[in-house]
Amino acid sequence: EYDNFVYSIPVLGGTPTVSGVSHTLAKAGELIHIYGTNLRGIDKITFPGDIVVEAGMFTESSDYTMITVTVPEEICFRARYV
């Protein structure tokens, strides 16, 4: 008499927000931590110079408040004087 329907509805978290970075002048090969909320399902992290670290190359904490990533070797921080 009644038809049964099942629908898959994805439940998404809130918008990711970044509240801080462990240090902003890290050298290539050093670990940095990115702090915030809803840091879940991040596909990539883009460093200055459009250097991209893809998902799988960084880790998310179990409560999605921190990402740990190694600064890519392509990064080169040079002092600039004006």
Coordinates of all heavy atoms in Angstrom, one line a residue:
E1 N 0.8 -1.2 0.0 CA 0.0 0.0 0.0 C 0.9 1.3 0.0 O 0.5 2.2 -0.6 CB -0.9 -0.1 1.2 CG -1.8 1.1 1.4 CD -2.7 0.8 2.6 OE1 -3.2 -0.3 2.7 OE2 -2.9 1.8 3.3
Y2 N 2.0 1.3 0.7 CA 2.9 2.4 0.8 C 4.2 2.0 0.1 O 4.7 0.9 0.2 CB 3.2 2.9 2.2 CG 1.9 3.4 2.9 CD1 1.2 2.6 3.8 CD2 1.5 4.6 2.7 CE1 0.1 3.0 4.4 CE2 0.3 5.1 3.3 CZ -0.3 4.3 4.2 OH -1.5 4.8 4.8
D3 N 4.7 3.0 -0.7 CA 6.1 2.8 -1.3 C 7.1 3.2 -0.3 O 7.0 4.3 0.4 CB 6.2 3.5 -2.6 CG 5.3 3.0 -3.7 OD1 5.1 1.7 -3.6 OD2 4.9 3.7 -4.5
N4 N 8.2 2.5 -0.2 CA 9.3 2.9 0.7 C 10.4 3.5 -0.2 O 10.8 2.9 -1.2 CB 9.9 1.7 1.4 CG 8.9 1.2 2.5 OD1 8.2 2.0 3.1 ND2 8.9 -0.1 2.7
F5 N 10.9 4.7 0.2 CA 11.9 5.3 -0.5 C 13.1 5.6 0.5 O 12.8 6.0 1.7 CB 11.5 6.7 -1.1 CG 10.5 6.5 -2.2 CD1 9.1 6.7 -1.9 CD2 10.9 6.2 -3.5 CE1 8.2 6.5 -3.0 CE2 10.0 6.1 -4.5 CZ 8.7 6.2 -4.3
V6 N 14.3 5.4 0.0 CA 15.5 5.7 0.9 C 16.3 6.7 0.1 O 16.6 6.5 -1.1 CB 16.3 4.5 1.1 CG1 17.6 4.8 1.9 CG2 15.5 3.4 1.9
Y7 N 16.6 7.8 0.7 CA 17.4 8.9 0.1 C 18.7 9.1 1.0 O 18.6 9.1 2.2 CB 16.7 10.2 0.1 CG 15.5 10.2 -0.8 CD1 14.2 10.0 -0.3 CD2 15.6 10.4 -2.1 CE1 13.1 10.0 -1.1 CE2 14.5 10.4 -3.0 CZ 13.2 10.2 -2.4 OH 12.1 10.2 -3.2
S8 N 19.8 9.2 0.3 CA 21.1 9.5 0.9 C 21.2 11.0 1.0 O 21.2 11.6 -0.1 CB 22.2 8.8 0.2 OG 22.1 7.5 0.3
I9 N 21.4 11.5 2.2 CA 21.5 12.9 2.3 C 22.9 13.2 3.0 O 23.0 12.8 4.2 CB 20.4 13.6 3.1 CG1 19.1 13.3 2.4 CG2 20.6 15.1 3.3 CD1 17.9 13.7 3.2
P10 N 23.8 13.8 2.4 CA 25.1 14.0 3.1 C 25.0 15.1 4.1 O 24.3 16.0 4.0 CB 26.0 14.5 1.9 CG 25.1 15.0 0.9 CD 23.8 14.3 1.0
V11 N 25.6 14.8 5.3 CA 25.6 15.7 6.4 C 26.9 16.4 6.4 O 28.0 15.7 6.6 CB 25.3 15.0 7.7 CG1 25.4 16.0 8.9 CG2 24.0 14.3 7.7
L12 N 27.0 17.7 6.1 CA 28.2 18.4 6.1 C 28.4 19.2 7.3 O 27.5 19.7 7.9 CB 28.2 19.4 4.8 CG 27.9 18.7 3.5 CD1 27.8 19.7 2.4 CD2 29.0 17.7 3.2
G13 N 29.7 19.4 7.7 CA 30.0 20.2 8.9 C 30.0 21.7 8.5 O 29.6 22.1 7.4
G14 N 30.3 22.5 9.4 CA 30.3 23.9 9.2 C 31.5 24.3 8.3 O 32.3 23.5 7.9
T15 N 31.5 25.6 8.0 CA 32.6 26.1 7.1 C 33.9 26.1 7.9 O 34.0 26.5 9.0 CB 32.3 27.6 6.7 OG1 31.0 27.6 6.1 CG2 33.3 28.2 5.8
P16 N 35.0 25.6 7.2 CA 36.3 25.6 7.9 C 36.8 27.0 8.1 O 36.6 27.9 7.3 CB 37.2 24.9 6.9 CG 36.3 24.2 5.9 CD 35.1 24.9 5.9
T17 N 37.3 27.2 9.3 CA 37.9 28.5 9.6 C 39.3 28.3 10.2 O 39.5 27.4 11.0 CB 37.1 29.3 10.6 OG1 36.7 28.5 11.7 CG2 35.9 29.9 10.0
V18 N 40.3 29.2 9.9 CA 41.6 29.1 10.4 C 41.8 30.2 11.4 O 41.5 31.4 11.2 CB 42.7 29.3 9.3 CG1 44.1 29.4 9.8 CG2 42.6 28.1 8.3
S19 N 42.3 29.8 12.6 CA 42.4 30.8 13.7 C 43.9 31.1 13.9 O 44.2 32.1 14.6 CB 41.8 30.3 15.0 OG 42.3 29.1 15.4
G20 N 44.8 30.3 13.4 CA 46.2 30.5 13.6 C 47.1 29.5 13.0 O 46.6 28.4 12.5
V21 N 48.4 29.8 12.9 CA 49.4 28.9 12.4 C 50.5 28.9 13.4 O 50.9 29.9 14.0 CB 49.9 29.4 11.0 CG1 51.0 28.5 10.4 CG2 48.7 29.5 10.0
S22 N 51.1 27.7 13.6 CA 52.2 27.6 14.6 C 53.3 28.5 14.4 O 53.8 29.1 15.4 CB 52.7 26.1 14.7 OG 53.2 25.7 13.5
H23 N 53.8 28.7 13.2 CA 54.7 29.8 12.9 C 54.7 30.0 11.4 O 54.6 29.1 10.6 CB 56.1 29.6 13.5 CG 56.9 28.4 13.0 ND1 56.7 27.1 13.4 CD2 57.9 28.4 12.1 CE1 57.6 26.3 12.8 NE2 58.3 27.0 12.0
T24 N 54.9 31.3 11.1 CA 54.7 31.7 9.7 C 55.9 31.7 8.9 O 55.9 31.9 7.6 CB 53.9 33.0 9.6 OG1 54.7 34.0 10.3 CG2 52.5 32.9 10.2
L25 N 57.1 31.6 9.5 CA 58.3 31.7 8.8 C 59.1 30.3 8.8 O 60.3 30.3 9.0 CB 59.2 32.8 9.3 CG 58.7 34.2 9.1 CD1 59.6 35.3 9.7 CD2 58.5 34.5 7.6
A26 N 58.3 29.3 8.7 CA 58.9 27.9 8.7 C 59.8 27.7 7.5 O 59.5 28.3 6.4 CB 57.8 26.9 8.8
K27 N 60.8 26.9 7.7 CA 61.7 26.6 6.5 C 61.2 25.3 5.9 O 60.4 24.5 6.5 CB 63.1 26.4 7.0 CG 63.7 27.7 7.6 CD 65.1 27.4 8.1 CE 65.6 28.7 8.8 NZ 66.8 28.5 9.5
A28 N 61.6 25.1 4.7 CA 61.3 23.8 3.9 C 61.7 22.6 4.8 O 62.7 22.6 5.4 CB 62.0 23.8 2.6
G29 N 60.7 21.7 4.9 CA 61.0 20.4 5.6 C 60.5 20.5 7.1 O 60.4 19.5 7.7
E30 N 60.2 21.7 7.6 CA 59.7 21.8 8.9 C 58.2 21.5 9.0 O 57.4 21.8 8.0 CB 60.0 23.2 9.5 CG 61.4 23.5 9.7 CD 61.7 24.8 10.3 OE1 60.8 25.7 10.3 OE2 62.8 25.0 10.9
L31 N 57.7 21.0 10.1 CA 56.3 20.8 10.4 C 55.7 22.1 10.9 O 56.3 22.8 11.7 CB 56.0 19.8 11.4 CG 56.2 18.3 11.0 CD1 56.0 17.4 12.2 CD2 55.3 17.9 9.9
I32 N 54.5 22.4 10.4 CA 53.7 23.5 11.0 C 52.3 23.0 11.3 O 51.9 21.9 10.7 CB 53.6 24.7 10.0 CG1 52.9 24.3 8.7 CG2 54.9 25.4 9.8 CD1 52.5 25.6 7.9
H33 N 51.6 23.6 12.2 CA 50.3 23.3 12.6 C 49.4 24.4 12.2 O 49.7 25.6 12.5 CB 50.2 23.0 14.1 CG 51.1 21.9 14.6 ND1 51.0 20.6 14.3 CD2 52.3 22.0 15.3 CE1 51.9 19.9 14.8 NE2 52.8 20.8 15.4
I34 N 48.3 24.1 11.6 CA 47.2 25.1 11.3 C 46.1 24.8 12.2 O 45.6 23.7 12.3 CB 46.8 24.9 9.8 CG1 48.0 25.1 8.9 CG2 45.7 25.9 9.5 CD1 47.8 24.7 7.4
Y35 N 45.7 25.8 13.0 CA 44.6 25.7 14.0 C 43.3 26.3 13.5 O 43.4 27.3 12.8 CB 45.1 26.4 15.3 CG 46.4 25.8 15.8 CD1 47.5 26.5 15.7 CD2 46.4 24.6 16.5 CE1 48.7 26.1 16.2 CE2 47.6 24.1 17.0 CZ 48.8 24.8 16.8 OH 50.0 24.3 17.3
G36 N 42.2 25.8 13.9 CA 40.9 26.3 13.5 C 39.8 25.4 14.0 O 39.9 24.6 14.9
T37 N 38.7 25.6 13.2 CA 37.5 24.7 13.5 C 37.0 24.2 12.2 O 37.2 24.8 11.1 CB 36.4 25.6 14.1 OG1 36.1 26.7 13.3 CG2 36.8 26.1 15.5
N38 N 36.4 23.0 12.3 CA 35.8 22.4 11.1 C 36.8 22.1 10.0 O 36.5 22.2 8.8 CB 34.6 23.2 10.5 CG 33.5 23.3 11.5 OD1 33.2 22.4 12.2 ND2 33.0 24.6 11.6
L39 N 38.1 21.8 10.4 CA 39.1 21.5 9.4 C 39.0 20.0 9.0 O 39.9 19.2 9.2 CB 40.5 21.8 10.0 CG 40.7 23.2 10.5 CD1 42.1 23.3 11.2 CD2 40.6 24.2 9.4
R40 N 37.9 19.7 8.3 CA 37.6 18.4 7.9 C 37.4 18.4 6.4 O 36.8 19.3 5.8 CB 36.3 18.0 8.6 CG 35.7 16.7 8.1 CD 34.4 16.4 8.7 NE 34.4 15.1 9.3 CZ 33.5 14.6 10.1 NH1 32.6 15.3 10.5 NH2 33.6 13.4 10.5
G41 N 37.9 17.3 5.8 CA 37.7 17.2 4.3 C 38.5 18.2 3.5 O 38.0 18.6 2.4
I42 N 39.6 18.7 4.0 CA 40.3 19.7 3.3 C 41.0 19.0 2.1 O 41.7 18.0 2.3 CB 41.4 20.4 4.2 CG1 40.7 21.0 5.4 CG2 42.2 21.4 3.4 CD1 39.8 22.1 5.1
D43 N 40.9 19.5 0.9 CA 41.5 18.9 -0.3 C 42.9 19.2 -0.5 O 43.7 18.4 -1.1 CB 40.7 19.3 -1.5 CG 39.2 18.8 -1.5 OD1 39.0 17.7 -0.9 OD2 38.4 19.4 -2.1
K44 N 43.3 20.5 -0.2 CA 44.6 20.9 -0.4 C 45.0 22.1 0.4 O 44.1 22.8 0.9 CB 44.8 21.3 -1.9 CG 44.0 22.5 -2.3 CD 44.1 22.7 -3.8 CE 43.2 23.9 -4.2 NZ 43.3 24.2 -5.7
I45 N 46.3 22.3 0.6 CA 46.8 23.5 1.3 C 47.7 24.2 0.3 O 48.6 23.6 -0.3 CB 47.6 23.1 2.6 CG1 46.6 22.5 3.5 CG2 48.2 24.4 3.2 CD1 47.3 21.9 4.7
T46 N 47.5 25.5 0.1 CA 48.3 26.3 -0.9 C 49.2 27.2 -0.1 O 48.8 28.0 0.7 CB 47.4 27.1 -1.8 OG1 46.5 26.1 -2.5 CG2 48.2 27.8 -2.9
F47 N 50.5 27.1 -0.4 CA 51.5 27.9 0.2 C 51.8 29.1 -0.7 O 51.5 29.0 -1.9 CB 52.8 27.1 0.5 CG 52.7 26.2 1.6 CD1 52.2 24.9 1.5 CD2 53.2 26.6 2.9 CE1 52.1 24.1 2.6 CE2 53.1 25.8 4.0 CZ 52.5 24.5 3.8
P48 N 52.5 30.1 -0.3 CA 52.9 31.2 -1.1 C 53.6 30.7 -2.4 O 54.4 29.7 -2.3 CB 53.9 32.1 -0.3 CG 53.4 31.8 1.1 CD 53.0 30.3 1.1
G49 N 53.4 31.3 -3.5 CA 54.0 30.9 -4.7 C 53.2 29.8 -5.4 O 53.6 29.1 -6.3
D50 N 51.9 29.7 -4.9 CA 51.0 28.7 -5.5 C 51.5 27.2 -5.4 O 51.3 26.4 -6.3 CB 50.6 29.0 -6.9 CG 49.7 30.2 -7.0 OD1 48.9 30.4 -6.1 OD2 49.8 31.0 -8.0
I51 N 52.3 27.0 -4.3 CA 52.8 25.6 -4.1 C 51.7 24.9 -3.3 O 51.3 25.3 -2.2 CB 54.1 25.7 -3.3 CG1 55.2 26.4 -4.2 CG2 54.6 24.3 -3.0 CD1 56.4 26.8 -3.5
V52 N 51.2 23.8 -3.9 CA 50.1 23.0 -3.4 C 50.5 21.7 -2.7 O 51.3 21.0 -3.3 CB 49.1 22.7 -4.5 CG1 47.9 21.9 -4.0 CG2 48.5 24.1 -5.1
V53 N 50.0 21.5 -1.5 CA 50.1 20.2 -0.8 C 48.7 19.5 -0.9 O 47.8 20.1 -0.3 CB 50.6 20.4 0.6 CG1 50.7 19.0 1.3 CG2 52.0 21.0 0.6
E54 N 48.6 18.4 -1.5 CA 47.4 17.7 -1.7 C 47.0 16.9 -0.5 O 47.9 16.5 0.3 CB 47.4 16.8 -2.9 CG 47.7 17.5 -4.2 CD 46.6 18.3 -4.8 OE1 45.4 18.1 -4.3 OE2 46.8 19.2 -5.6
A55 N 45.7 16.6 -0.3 CA 45.2 15.8 0.8 C 46.0 14.4 0.7 O 46.4 14.0 -0.3 CB 43.7 15.5 0.6
G56 N 46.2 13.9 1.9 CA 47.0 12.7 2.0 C 48.5 13.0 2.3 O 49.2 12.1 2.8
M57 N 48.9 14.2 2.1 CA 50.2 14.7 2.4 C 50.2 15.5 3.7 O 51.2 16.0 4.1 CB 50.8 15.5 1.3 CG 50.9 14.8 0.0 SD 51.9 13.3 0.0 CE 53.5 13.9 0.3
F58 N 49.1 15.6 4.4 CA 49.0 16.3 5.7 C 47.9 15.5 6.5 O 47.2 14.7 6.0 CB 48.6 17.8 5.5 CG 47.3 18.0 4.7 CD1 46.1 18.0 5.3 CD2 47.4 18.3 3.4 CE1 44.9 18.3 4.6 CE2 46.3 18.6 2.6 CZ 45.0 18.5 3.2
T59 N 47.9 15.8 7.8 CA 47.0 15.1 8.7 C 46.1 16.1 9.4 O 46.4 17.2 9.7 CB 47.7 14.2 9.7 OG1 48.6 15.1 10.5 CG2 48.6 13.1 9.1
E60 N 44.9 15.6 9.7 CA 43.9 16.3 10.4 C 43.7 15.7 11.8 O 43.8 14.5 11.9 CB 42.5 16.3 9.7 CG 42.5 16.8 8.3 CD 41.2 16.4 7.6 OE1 40.5 15.5 8.0 OE2 40.9 17.1 6.6
S61 N 43.6 16.5 12.8 CA 43.4 15.9 14.2 C 42.0 15.3 14.2 O 41.1 15.6 13.4 CB 43.5 17.0 15.2 OG 42.5 18.0 15.1
S62 N 41.8 14.4 15.2 CA 40.5 13.7 15.3 C 39.3 14.6 15.6 O 38.2 14.2 15.3 CB 40.6 12.6 16.3 OG 40.9 13.1 17.6
D63 N 39.6 15.7 16.2 CA 38.5 16.7 16.5 C 38.4 17.8 15.4 O 37.6 18.7 15.6 CB 38.6 17.3 17.9 CG 39.8 18.1 18.1 OD1 40.7 18.1 17.2 OD2 40.0 18.6 19.2
Y64 N 39.2 17.7 14.4 CA 39.2 18.6 13.2 C 39.5 20.1 13.6 O 39.0 21.0 13.0 CB 37.9 18.5 12.4 CG 37.6 17.1 12.0 CD1 36.6 16.4 12.6 CD2 38.4 16.4 11.1 CE1 36.3 15.1 12.3 CE2 38.1 15.1 10.7 CZ 37.1 14.4 11.3 OH 36.9 13.1 11.0
T65 N 40.4 20.2 14.6 CA 40.8 21.6 15.0 C 42.2 21.9 14.7 O 42.7 23.0 14.9 CB 40.6 21.8 16.5 OG1 41.4 20.8 17.2 CG2 39.1 21.6 16.9
M66 N 43.0 20.9 14.1 CA 44.4 21.1 13.7 C 44.8 20.3 12.5 O 44.4 19.1 12.4 CB 45.3 20.8 14.9 CG 46.7 21.1 14.6 SD 47.8 20.7 16.1 CE 47.7 18.9 16.1
I67 N 45.5 20.9 11.6 CA 46.1 20.2 10.5 C 47.6 20.3 10.7 O 48.2 21.4 11.0 CB 45.7 20.8 9.2 CG1 44.3 20.6 8.9 CG2 46.6 20.3 8.0 CD1 43.7 21.2 7.7
T68 N 48.3 19.2 10.5 CA 49.8 19.2 10.6 C 50.3 18.9 9.2 O 49.9 18.0 8.5 CB 50.3 18.1 11.5 OG1 49.7 18.3 12.8 CG2 51.8 18.1 11.6
V69 N 51.2 19.8 8.7 CA 51.7 19.7 7.3 C 53.2 20.0 7.3 O 53.7 20.9 8.1 CB 50.9 20.6 6.4 CG1 51.0 22.1 6.8 CG2 51.4 20.4 4.9
T70 N 54.0 19.3 6.5 CA 55.4 19.6 6.3 C 55.5 20.7 5.2 O 54.9 20.6 4.1 CB 56.1 18.4 5.9 OG1 56.0 17.4 6.9 CG2 57.6 18.7 5.7
V71 N 56.3 21.7 5.5 CA 56.5 22.8 4.5 C 57.2 22.2 3.3 O 58.3 21.5 3.5 CB 57.3 23.9 5.1 CG1 57.6 25.0 4.0 CG2 56.6 24.5 6.3
P72 N 56.7 22.3 2.1 CA 57.3 21.7 0.9 C 58.7 22.2 0.6 O 59.0 23.4 1.0 CB 56.3 22.1 -0.2 CG 55.1 22.6 0.4 CD 55.5 23.1 1.8
E73 N 59.5 21.4 0.0 CA 60.9 21.7 -0.3 C 60.9 22.9 -1.3 O 61.9 23.6 -1.4 CB 61.6 20.5 -0.9 CG 61.9 19.4 0.1 CD 62.7 19.8 1.3 OE1 63.7 20.6 1.0 OE2 62.5 19.4 2.4
E74 N 59.9 23.1 -2.1 CA 59.9 24.2 -3.1 C 59.8 25.6 -2.4 O 60.0 26.6 -3.1 CB 58.7 24.0 -4.0 CG 58.7 22.8 -4.8 CD 58.1 21.6 -4.1 OE1 57.7 21.7 -3.0 OE2 58.0 20.5 -4.8
I75 N 59.4 25.6 -1.2 CA 59.3 26.9 -0.5 C 60.7 27.5 -0.2 O 61.6 26.8 0.2 CB 58.6 26.8 0.9 CG1 57.1 26.4 0.7 CG2 58.7 28.0 1.7 CD1 56.3 27.5 0.1
C76 N 60.9 28.7 -0.5 CA 62.1 29.4 -0.2 C 61.8 30.8 0.4 O 61.2 31.6 -0.3 CB 62.9 29.6 -1.5 SG 64.5 30.4 -1.3
F77 N 62.1 31.0 1.7 CA 61.9 32.2 2.3 C 63.2 33.0 2.2 O 64.2 32.6 2.7 CB 61.4 32.1 3.8 CG 60.1 31.4 3.9 CD1 59.9 30.1 4.2 CD2 58.9 32.2 3.7 CE1 58.7 29.5 4.3 CE2 57.7 31.6 3.8 CZ 57.6 30.3 4.1
R78 N 63.1 34.2 1.6 CA 64.3 35.1 1.5 C 64.0 36.4 2.2 O 62.9 36.9 2.0 CB 64.7 35.3 0.1 CG 65.2 34.0 -0.6 CD 65.6 34.3 -2.0 NE 64.3 34.5 -2.7 CZ 64.2 34.5 -4.1 NH1 65.3 34.2 -4.8 NH2 63.1 34.6 -4.7
A79 N 65.0 36.9 2.9 CA 64.8 38.2 3.5 C 64.8 39.3 2.3 O 65.6 39.2 1.4 CB 65.9 38.5 4.5
R80 N 63.9 40.2 2.4 CA 63.9 41.3 1.4 C 64.0 42.6 2.2 O 63.4 42.8 3.2 CB 62.6 41.3 0.6 CG 62.5 40.0 -0.2 CD 61.2 40.1 -1.1 NE 61.2 38.9 -1.8 CZ 60.3 38.7 -2.8 NH1 59.5 39.6 -3.1 NH2 60.3 37.5 -3.4
Y81 N 64.8 43.4 1.6 CA 65.0 44.8 2.2 C 64.5 45.8 1.2 O 64.7 45.7 0.0 CB 66.5 45.0 2.4 CG 67.1 44.0 3.4 CD1 67.7 42.9 2.9 CD2 67.0 44.2 4.8 CE1 68.3 42.0 3.8 CE2 67.5 43.3 5.7 CZ 68.1 42.2 5.2 OH 68.6 41.2 6.1
V82 N 63.8 46.8 1.7 CA 63.2 47.8 0.9 C 64.1 49.1 1.0 O 64.6 49.4 2.1 CB 61.8 48.1 1.3 CG1 61.2 49.3 0.5 CG2 60.9 46.9 1.2

